[in-house]
């Protein structure tokens, strides 16, 4: 039984497709490969990090690990949202340069886990504004609803961390 | 044996070789200082021997051959046929260096052939120069030669394994089988040690054997069979039909009395087998294992988490209604907190190493340098058992070497000057380590001339480090030596004087959260004092609140805390505010402004804001950090921000507080840099330029 599930997760062609955690951001449905997700946490107070762009809210303690928290709305200028009881942080772990890094992404709400078949992928149309297509893997269909699938590695590496390290080190200069 | 485990063994061999080389070096230096012969020479010899044996096993023929020659020479020294004269010791030290290089190149196989040949030639020459030397015989057969040949018809072997031998994976059956391959065996088993069935432990050996081996094999071959169990058994091998050992054997035995005496566990004092495996730290430090540092780090992290969880639980326990208490919740939580604390300390201990690991290279350094400089210098080391975190230890080595070189070169005068000054002809350098109020203090002191204030001042003016008519106090003058680009050496020598030095020493030490100070008395010498945190993983911190954020300020850098008297606060337009503190103007930094933290939630009235000044120092900078409130003092576990994120200027990292929230650890030097505020002389001068 366990093996069957494992196969379903690993190999999209083995019949199952890939499982995605879907969440809502500014009314749209987005998906992240479930294997990259470490956990989902409720919103908690963050510790601010100096000299960071506004989308980098700060860091939190995630099981003893200090994890940076990114507000995806703010990052992609989707308008700011109230932080309420539905606000959640999706913790993702991705390979970044030399070692894996854990980053938290603030989303409006998580919905559910869907298996999205590879045949459902649509080529991402070029979108002006909002989330650049370079961070997207494609579009998937769940029933008749469209889900935008993130390329998490790119999102975290070039979308977030690269932005941060470009900042001048000596802010006073 | 699979390739993996062979690689593992090969790695252990390499590590043992490095240890062996250190042992040899230490022993040779000891000999050079007139250390007493026997044991020291034996130690060196054994180290050389085990390197030779190991490298031959793994097919490093070059190393084996080289060590073989060294061993031959050492054997002569050991037998007293050659004096441990300075040239011999120098040669052997050189050989140790050469071997070390060979070990370094062991994987690539790119040995420095010319250098090896040169040393081998020198060794040969040294060996041939001795009339008594019979290298071939001596090395090949340190055993009683005569006995071997006389007893060729057979051996009586008594093999009594220690009870715990099976645990090291040795199987007596294999040994007995191997013996039968050498010749015909008559084996008698001794069952007298067998306990009653109830107390029988299946993992212990209670049997011992007496074997009569008939066959024309040498004692060498017999011993080889027992190679892997030596030290785990009592073994005696006697020739059959030779009731009286010939005189030659007695003589050979008498030549090595102390070896037999020191070897408690194996009555057979076989110097060819009496190798490092037993003599190594394993025997000295009552057992040790090699563990990868990543495993220890992982353990530390887990314990760190446990501590946080425990703190959360305790808080929960304190806040829980009284009703829960009769279930003993509070007592249990109290106990949990005690246990976690002890566990944390125990895990910290694992990372600790004695400073002797670093100090052990100094005798060689002093020896070499004093020879080069033609000065007579003694080195006194104390407190080498003081323990320090491995990471700190690794980073402190180079600065210490630098300080010692400096003391040798600049500090201690040459012999004539010393005698003229009424001092002992030989100088002394003291290196010590000790615990002082939660920190480790390492001192490098010398009884030399002390710092020459006038010369320092002149040089500093020449180099424009200070203004022409700037007057400095004595201590300030001494501190100048830590400025970048400063050197008083008139001649740039091999030893020092290139002007990269003390500033690097200082910055290296600051990097690991420590500081260095110098005190000096003209004519009596100088003392460099390095104060270091016990560990890099943990820091004593003062928690402060600024607005809604809590920061950790390293306790080591805090001088005092004062309540702000607004009268004393001077706001100069376009510059940071200055606070007058006992006649001195202390620049005031606002953490939130410097770090540009968004102040969206400001708690408390304006009067409550920044009413305290924490006076901190970093290097020679003294600044006041404006904070709202002082919270408790805590030992905090330092978590890297870089791990998941990026380095954040102005912070040393982050930590997790008892309530599970993350708090940033303030880096004073970084804050000062970020604020654009400079108070030190160097940048003042550069700003003026």
């Amino acid at each position: 039984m366990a093996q069957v599930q494992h196969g379903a997760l690993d190999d999209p062609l083995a019949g199952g497709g890939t499982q995605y955690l879907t969440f809502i951001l500014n009314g749209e449905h987005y998906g992240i490969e479930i294997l990259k997700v470490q956990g989902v946490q409720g919103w908690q107070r963050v510790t601010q990090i100096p000299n960071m762009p506004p989308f980098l809210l700060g860091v939190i303690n995630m099981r003893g690990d200090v994890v940076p928290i990114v507000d995806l709305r703010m990052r992609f200028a989707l308008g700011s949202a109230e932080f309420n009881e539905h606000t959640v942080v999706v913790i993702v772990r991705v390979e970044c340069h030399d070692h894996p890094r854990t980053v938290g992404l603030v989303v409006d709400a998580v919905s559910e886990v869907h298996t999205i078949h590879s045949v459902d992928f649509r080529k991402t149309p070029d979108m002006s504004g909002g989330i650049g297509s370079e961070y997207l893997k494609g579009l998937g269909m769940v029933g008749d609803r469209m889900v935008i699938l993130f390329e998490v590695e790119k999102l975290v590496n070039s979308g977030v961390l690269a932005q941060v390290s470009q900042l001048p080190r000596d802010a006073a200069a | 044996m699979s390739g993996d485990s062979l690689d593992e063994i090969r790695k252990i061999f390499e590590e043992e070789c490095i240890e062996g080389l250190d042992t040899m070096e230490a022993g040779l230096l000891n000999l050079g200082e007139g250390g007493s012969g026997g044991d020291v020479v034996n130690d060196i010899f054994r180290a050389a021997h085990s390197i030779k044996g190991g490298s031959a096993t793994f097919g490093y023929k070059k190393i084996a051959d080289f060590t073989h020659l060294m061993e031959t020479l050492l054997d002569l020294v050991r037998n007293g046929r050659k004096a441990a004269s300075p040239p011999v010791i120098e040669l052997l030290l050189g050989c140790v260096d050469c071997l070390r290089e060979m070990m370094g190149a062991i994987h690539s196989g790119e040995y420095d052939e010319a250098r090896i040949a040169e040393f081998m030639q020198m060794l040969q020459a040294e060996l041939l120069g001795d009339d008594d030397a019979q290298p071939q015989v001596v090395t090949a057969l340190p055993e009683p030669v005569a006995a071997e040949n006389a007893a060729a018809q057979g051996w009586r072997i008594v093999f009594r394994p220690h009870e715990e031998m099976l645990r090291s994976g040795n199987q007596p059956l294999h040994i007995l089988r191997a013996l039968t391959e050498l010749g015909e065996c008559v084996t008698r088993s001794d069952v007298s040690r067998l306990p009653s069935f109830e107390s029988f432990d299946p993992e212990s050996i209670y049997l011992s054997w007496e074997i009569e081996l008939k066959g024309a094999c040498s004692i060498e071959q017999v011993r080889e069979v027992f190679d892997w169990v030596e030290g785990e058994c009592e073994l005696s091998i006697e020739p059959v039909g030779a009731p009286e050992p010939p005189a030659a054997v007695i003589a050979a035995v008498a030549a090595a009395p102390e070896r037999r005496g020191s070897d408690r566990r194996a009555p057979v004092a076989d110097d060819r087998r009496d190798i490092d495996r037993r003599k190594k730290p394993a025997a000295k430090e009552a057992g040790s294992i090699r563990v990868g540092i990543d495993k220890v780090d992982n353990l530390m992290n887990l314990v760190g988490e446990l501590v946080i969880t425990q703190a959360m639980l305790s808080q929960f326990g304190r806040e829980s209604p009284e009703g829960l208490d009769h279930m003993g919740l509070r007592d249990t939580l109290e106990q949990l907190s005690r246990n976690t604390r002890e566990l944390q300390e125990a895990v910290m201990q694992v990372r600790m190493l004695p400073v002797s690991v670093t100090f052990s290279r100094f005798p060689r350094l002093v020896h070499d340098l004093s020879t080069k400089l033609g000065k007579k210098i003694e080195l006194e080391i104390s407190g080498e058992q003081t323990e320090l975190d491995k990471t700190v230890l690794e980073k402190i080595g180079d600065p210490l070497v630098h300080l010692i070189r400096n003391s040798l070169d600049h500090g201690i005068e040459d012999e004539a000057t010393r005698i003229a000054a009424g001092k002992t002809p030989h100088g002394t350098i003291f290196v010590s380590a000790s615990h002082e109020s939660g920190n480790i203090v390492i001192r490098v002191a010398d009884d030399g001339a002390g710092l020459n204030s006038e010369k320092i001042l002149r040089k500093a003016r020449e180099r424009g480090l200070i203004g022409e008519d700037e007057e400095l106090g004595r201590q300030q003058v001494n501190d100048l030596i830590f400025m970048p680009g400063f050197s008083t050496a008139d001649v740039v020598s091999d030893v020092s004087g290139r002007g990269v030095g003390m500033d690097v020493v200082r910055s290296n030490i600051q990097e690991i959260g420590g500081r260095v100070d110098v005190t000096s008395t003209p004519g009596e010498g100088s003392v460099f004092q390095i104060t270091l945190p016990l560990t890099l993983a943990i820091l004593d911190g003062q928690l402060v609140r600024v607005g809604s954020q809590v920061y950790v300020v390293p306790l080591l850098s805090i001088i005092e805390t004062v309540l702000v008297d607004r009268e004393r606060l001077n706001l100069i337009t376009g510059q940071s505010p200055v606070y007058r503190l006992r006649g001195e103007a202390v620049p005031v930094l606002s953490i939130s402004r410097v770090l540009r933290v968004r102040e969206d939630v400001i708690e408390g009235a304006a009067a409550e804001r920044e009413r305290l000044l924490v006076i901190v120092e970093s290097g020679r900078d003294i600044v006041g950090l404006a904070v709202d409130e002082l919270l408790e003092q805590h030992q905090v576990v330092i978590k890297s921000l870089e791990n998941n994120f990026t380095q954040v200027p102005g912070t040393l990292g982050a930590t997790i507080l008892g309530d599970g929230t993350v708090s940033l650890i303030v880096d004073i030097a970084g804050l000062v840099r970020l604020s654009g505020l400079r108070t030190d002389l160097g940048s003042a001068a550069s700003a003026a330029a």
Side-chain angles (χ1 to χ4, degrees), chain A residues 44-54 56-57 59-61 63-68 93 99-103 161 164-165 169-172, chain B residues 305 308 312 548-549 594-598 600 639-649 651 654 656 660-664 673-676 678:
Chain A
Q44 65 184 84
R45 207 178 68 85
V46 297
T47 302
Q48 288 185 27
I49 297 292
N51 299 314
M52 288 296 149
L56 211 123
L57 297 178
V59 289
I60 61 157
N61 161 28
R63 284 185 234 138
D65 211 3
V66 177
V67 173
R93 191 166 176 80
H99 67 280
R101 288 171 201 250
T102 311
V103 173
L161 294 173
V164 171
S165 356
R169 280 292 151 95
D170 197 349
Chain B
E305 273 177 58
I308 294 155
M312 289 178 191
S548 60
Q549 303 280 325
V594 174
L595 294 185
R596 298 189 182 170
V597 170
R598 295 181 291 278
D600 39 13
K639 299 263 176 188
S640 143
L641 282 168
E642 234 167 319
N643 215 13
N644 285 322
F645 192 40
T646 170
Q647 208 182 347
V648 178
T651 71
I656 296 166
T661 56
V662 180
S663 183
L664 294 180
R673 237 183 349 260
L674 274 181
S675 68
R678 308 286 159 107

Side-chain angles (χ1 to χ4, degrees), chain B residues 52 68 71-72 134-143 220 272:
Chain B
K52 177 178 127 183
H68 177 79
E71 198 189 37
T72 312
Q134 293 165 312
Q136 290 315 315
V137 179
V138 173
T139 49
L141 301 165
E143 306 301 328
E220 282 299 292
R272 290 195 54 113

Side-chain angles (χ1 to χ4, degrees), chain B residues 134 139 224 244 353 385 416 435 479 575 586 594 605 654:
Chain B
Q134 293 165 312
T139 49
E224 210 173 307
E244 292 279 322
L353 287 176
Q385 286 312 312
H435 279 272
D479 278 346
Q575 282 181 35
V586 179
V594 174

Side-chain angles (χ1 to χ4, degrees), chain B residues 17 29 37 48 66 70 79 100 190 208 231 277 280 313 430 465 478 501 515 538 627 633 635 668:
Chain B
C17 278
L29 290 170
F66 190 84
M70 281 177 79
N79 294 341
R100 202 169 268 146
D190 177 4
S208 54
R277 235 188 302 154
K280 264 176 14 90
L313 266 182
F430 307 87
L465 296 174
N478 288 347
R515 62 162 199 259
I538 279 202
V627 304
Q633 287 176 8
Q635 266 209 337
I668 310 291

